[in-house]
Amino acid sequence: MEESFSAALYSVPDHPHYERPLESVFSDLNLSETPLPAAFMGTSPDYGRAFYTRGDLVNFDNQFELPRGMGFSYTNPQVSNGSILKLRAQYAANGNMGFFIQPQNYTVYENLQNSNPSPGNCNLNPGPVCDFNSAYNLPLNLNGNFYRNGFRLPENRNWYPHFEGVNFLMAAKDQQGCRLLQKKLLQGTPEEKNMIFSGLLSHVCDLMVDQFGNYLIQTIFEVCSVEQMDQLLWLVTDDLLNLFHICLDIHGAKAMQKILEHLRTREQTAHVLSVLRRLTVLLSKSKIGQHVIHHCLKSFSHEENKHILNEVATHCVEIATDQNGCRVLKQCVFHAQGELQDRLVLEIAVNSVFLSEHAYGNYVVQYLLELRIPRVTAAILAQLSGNFVALSLNKHGSHVVEQCMKNSGGDKVIEIINEIINNPKFLTVLQDPYGNFVAQSALKFSKGTFLHKNMVALILEHYPFLHSHPHGQRVLTKIKGRKNLGDHVKYVLRSSHM
């Protein structure tokens, strides 16, 4: 077996950077198990020139270190690539495949602070910045463990007892590193927390929009001191365009909401809200950014939100006619008080005719009607008066007219229905794909009144034009429950021929 292995191992072309694919070596070895597909066993890279032992660790070219007891032992300081391939084949034969994941571009650790450290105090100092996207730069967890493609070194080795040489930015962007740094922030000593904060302070904006780093930044917002929060706020809000991009990012918006939850002083609150005021209109119209404005309205008092509410009132129509902005405007009306609420309501009421016919603005008008605040309802009805028929023939306006009848009550309902049934276009309303629903609602909300009887009579007068009409039939269905409907129809038809 060993002779066949040597023959297979050394029958490779004489080239300094060439190695046979591992699967071909297994094929020549005639092993009992079928080798893995080629997709899992790519061409091996040049692992380097120096291969030596130090203490109880095996090291090649200072790129990674492995403990002894892995099923192999080499002490020759100069080992060829062929021997490395033999090492890989032996290790794979033992069923340990983690060692054979192929690297792409890797950076070599240039320097060692101590050329011969003791096993328990191995303080490595990487020369260049550690690139965690490379397969052989090993992310460091906070227990001192290196990770590479699922391979983990023993947990009892404290490589960086004081975070010396750790690239916090790269660790924060790694899923495992992010979780371990969060754990240290919550359970570590004040010195460790301060070291993590200092290492990440200048990268806060970058990490807020990172898929993993944003969770670490949220944890920092939770545990940081007042002074540290001042520094973070200055970095986040200093560049308005950068803040805008953060709020539009799905991860950044969550991190921004976490900032709003953990502001420590009134000065911090006033500063953040004054900066967000300048972005209110743009964020209100954003699918993601609107959540930041919603969080402000929910988290702070009416007085603290006055700058944002004033900005919304100034651009009321622009925000109301946006798919996302109409939701923000409704929340602004709900959270506003006193003069600010009056200003918002007045801006909506003045433009209620235009907004009622708009695909999104109609929801804002309906929301105000649903609040059933007498002065608000009266202001809207005053603007819509004289336009109820035109609105009834509109897809979006018809919903507003129905809400007017539903929420106004009393004499206001009678005024709305009278305006509709006394209009020369009443038959058009009955036959309209949207207006017929208004007519049905008018029948519903006028029940028990003299107006209801008059309306039924007017509808029956148009019976010949309704009984075979697809939309008119719906209106007739609402009054067919009357036992004397047939008599009414005969009477109306007889009167028309006299």
Side-chain angles (χ1 to χ4, degrees), residues 69-130:
M70 306 292 290
F72 57 83
S73 177
Y74 284 92
T75 58
N76 188 353
Q78 297 295 329
V79 181
S80 65
N81 287 331
S83 298
I84 297 296
L85 184 58
K86 180 178 179 180
L87 170 65
R88 296 173 63 239
Q90 286 183 345
Y91 191 66
N94 291 334
N96 301 311
M97 297 307 302
F99 183 52
F100 302 104
I101 304 297
Q102 301 300 327
Q104 303 298 323
N105 298 317
Y106 56 87
T107 304
V108 178
Y109 287 113
E110 298 285 350
N111 303 316
L112 289 174
Q113 278 187 334
N114 187 351
S115 60
N116 189 23
S118 61
N121 184 23
C122 189
N123 294 323
L124 301 177
N125 181 26
V129 175
C130 180

Side-chain angles (χ1 to χ4, degrees), residues 61-76:
D61 227 7
N62 298 338
Q63 294 173 32
F64 50 85
E65 296 181 336
L66 302 172
R68 287 190 179 279
M70 306 292 290
F72 57 83
S73 177
Y74 284 92
T75 58
N76 188 353

Side-chain angles (χ1 to χ4, degrees), residues 259-272:
I259 288 182
L260 298 175
E261 291 177 4
H262 292 90
L263 295 175
R264 306 294 199 274
T265 64
R266 292 183 178 179
E267 290 75 14
Q268 292 177 355
T269 301
H271 171 71
V272 173

Side-chain angles (χ1 to χ4, degrees), residues 8 22 135 170 338 365:
L22 188 60
M170 292 301 179
V365 180

Side-chain angles (χ1 to χ4, degrees), residues 140-178:
L140 176 70
N141 76 8
L142 298 182
N143 292 323
N145 301 324
F146 281 103
Y147 283 82
R148 177 181 65 78
N149 297 324
F151 181 79
R152 180 169 59 84
L153 287 180
E155 298 183 358
N156 61 349
R157 300 197 177 277
N158 189 11
W159 302 102
Y160 290 103
H162 301 293
F163 298 120
E164 183 178 353
V166 174
N167 189 319
F168 287 101
L169 176 61
M170 292 301 179
K173 291 186 175 183
D174 176 76
Q175 185 176 19
Q176 183 68 11
C178 175

Side-chain angles (χ1 to χ4, degrees), residues 306 309-316 337-349 375:
K306 63 181 180 181
L309 294 173
N310 274 318
E311 197 71 17
V312 171
T314 302
H315 301 85
C316 177
Q337 299 176 10
E339 295 181 0
L340 273 177
Q341 188 182 61
D342 292 340
R343 184 186 174 192
L344 282 169
V345 169
L346 180 61
E347 290 290 336
I348 297 171
R375 58 187 175 84

